[in-house]
Amino acid sequence: GEVYIYDLQGIPPLLYQKAKALPGSTILLSASPFIEFIYFNCGKPQFTDKRVRKAIYMAVDKKGWIDAVYYGVPIPTLSYLPPSHWAYNKKLVDPGFDPAKAAAQLDEAGWKVAGDGVRAKDGVRLAFSMSTTAGNKSREQAQQLVQQNLKKINVEMTINNMPASVVWGDYTVKSQFDTLMVGWDALLYPDPDYGDRINSKSIPSKGGNGSNYVQYENPEIDELCAKGVTVVGQAERKAIYDRIQEILLEDLPFAPIFAYELIIGVKDRVQGYEVNTYTPINSWNTGDWS
């Protein structure tokens, strides 16, 4: 009885069914702007070719990840935006979970299976580490699933987790990682501008000012980002961000997996509490609470 609202990261999915049985409480599902990604470091030789990134995306069982680790609660997404967002491109086509097609694409790109069972090209093995916060049990379980998925297409992934202060410090900011398993709140506000993470002038490791840690560069994206923040009409803006999302799904500098859907618990004695898909925590209308 000491806690009246359970928000922010939400009730763990493992306890969802138990929470729904608690007397005197309301359990709400709150779509969140936080997106879970696999971040590829496009500056590493393994990931300079978008066909490799796309093959890895097709080899990962995203639905299995959501169901096995998060009990089916999160919402699949193909974008840096959650599907509930006004600017989400609903015409995006999921490349799907297709290990055979992924393997064929790697063959076509010249990554052949070597004697040690791992693909290689021009002396570079298709082997890399994946990092996230050490001790995050859900992500650690997900990493193991991804590792097993990739092994089936002869890609070697090792797990290299570190304390949050280390993994999200220079290791990320200066693009020292191979891949990351990470959840970013893309927006903080309802605006769909994502230039800070995808503009070529926003790469810190190349002297830029921003959060383009994957070192992604695409001139059309730069132009669209610049245009998107100068247009006022929502319909015209949506066309711009629809195109940005199409390009990102084709280039896959980062692989979107799901939008978090938080499990919120509210005691019945609390009145006026409402969830809001555009905020990372539902404290936006505290003036209406009683």
Side-chain angles (χ1 to χ4, degrees):
E2 294 178 352
V3 176
Y4 295 95
I5 298 173
Y6 200 127
D7 199 316
L8 192 53
Q9 293 192 344
I11 295 168
L14 174 64
L15 301 176
Y16 182 29
Q17 296 303 321
K18 187 175 181 180
K20 287 197 291 186
L22 290 173
S25 302
T26 299
I27 305 300
L28 304 167
L29 290 177
S30 175
S32 166
F34 276 91
I35 306 297
E36 190 82 346
F37 296 101
I38 294 175
Y39 255 38
F40 300 108
N41 187 342
C42 299
K44 295 291 180 91
Q46 303 96 312
F47 304 120
T48 54
D49 188 340
K50 68 180 181 182
R51 292 176 295 179
V52 172
R53 304 191 296 264
K54 196 159 191 174
I56 289 173
Y57 195 47
M58 288 191 293
V60 172
D61 184 1
K62 296 172 280 297
K63 185 179 186 303
W65 179 343
I66 291 170
D67 291 345
V69 181
Y70 293 96
Y71 296 81
V73 174
I75 306 165
T77 185
L78 298 171
S79 169
Y80 66 89
L81 296 170
S84 56
H85 195 279
W86 67 264
Y88 184 81
N89 184 347
K90 298 185 185 300
K91 294 182 180 179
L92 296 175
V93 177
D94 188 351
F97 171 49
D98 194 336
K101 188 175 179 180
Q105 184 159 297
L106 290 174
D107 286 337
E108 182 183 319
W111 292 89
K112 304 297 185 180
V113 179
D116 64 355
V118 176
R119 294 177 181 273
K121 179 182 179 180
D122 299 332
V124 177
R125 297 173 76 242
L126 194 44
F128 57 88
S129 66
M130 180 177 287
S131 304
T132 195
T133 307
N136 186 320
K137 299 302 181 186
S138 295
R139 286 216 182 111
E140 288 173 350
Q141 185 180 349
Q143 284 177 314
Q144 292 171 12
L145 291 175
V146 172
Q147 188 179 49
Q148 292 166 11
N149 289 158
L150 297 183
K151 187 175 182 180
K152 293 177 181 178
I153 61 165
N154 301 94
V155 174
E156 181 182 283
M157 187 199 102
T158 55
I159 296 171
N160 180 31
N161 296 337
M162 293 170 279
S165 59
V166 178
V167 72
W168 309 127
D170 286 351
Y171 185 72
T172 292
V173 175
K174 293 185 178 180
S175 302
Q176 297 168 356
F177 63 91
D178 290 340
T179 66
L180 299 172
M181 185 176 289
V182 60
W184 295 127
D185 176 0
L187 311 168
L188 290 179
Y189 302 100
D191 196 278
D193 173 40
Y194 207 49
D196 183 65
R197 295 197 185 274
I198 55 177
N199 193 301
S200 64
K201 294 182 175 64
S202 300
I203 304 174
S205 62
K206 295 184 178 180
N209 184 22
S211 303
N212 186 349
Y213 307 135
V214 294
Q215 304 191 77
Y216 175 57
E217 299 181 70
N218 183 315
E220 186 179 356
I221 285 287
D222 290 352
E223 292 175 11
L224 288 166
C225 286
K227 187 177 179 181
V229 295
T230 60
V231 174
V232 176
Q234 190 176 86
E236 189 177 355
R237 292 196 79 206
K238 187 171 188 325
I240 293 168
Y241 290 103
D242 278 357
R243 178 58 184 151
I244 287 174
Q245 292 168 77
E246 286 175 6
I247 295 170
L248 290 176
L249 188 59
E250 176 62 28
D251 289 355
L252 280 173
F254 37 70
I257 308 299
F258 60 77
Y260 279 89
E261 186 163 42
L262 303 180
I263 304 168
I264 308 297
V266 186
K267 286 291 186 183
D268 290 345
R269 65 180 298 180
V270 177
Q271 303 299 310
Y273 176 92
E274 292 184 33
V275 298
N276 186 334
T277 187
Y278 293 111
T279 60
I281 182 171
N282 294 298
S283 58
W284 62 283
N285 72 328
T286 49
D288 298 328
W289 295 3
S290 63

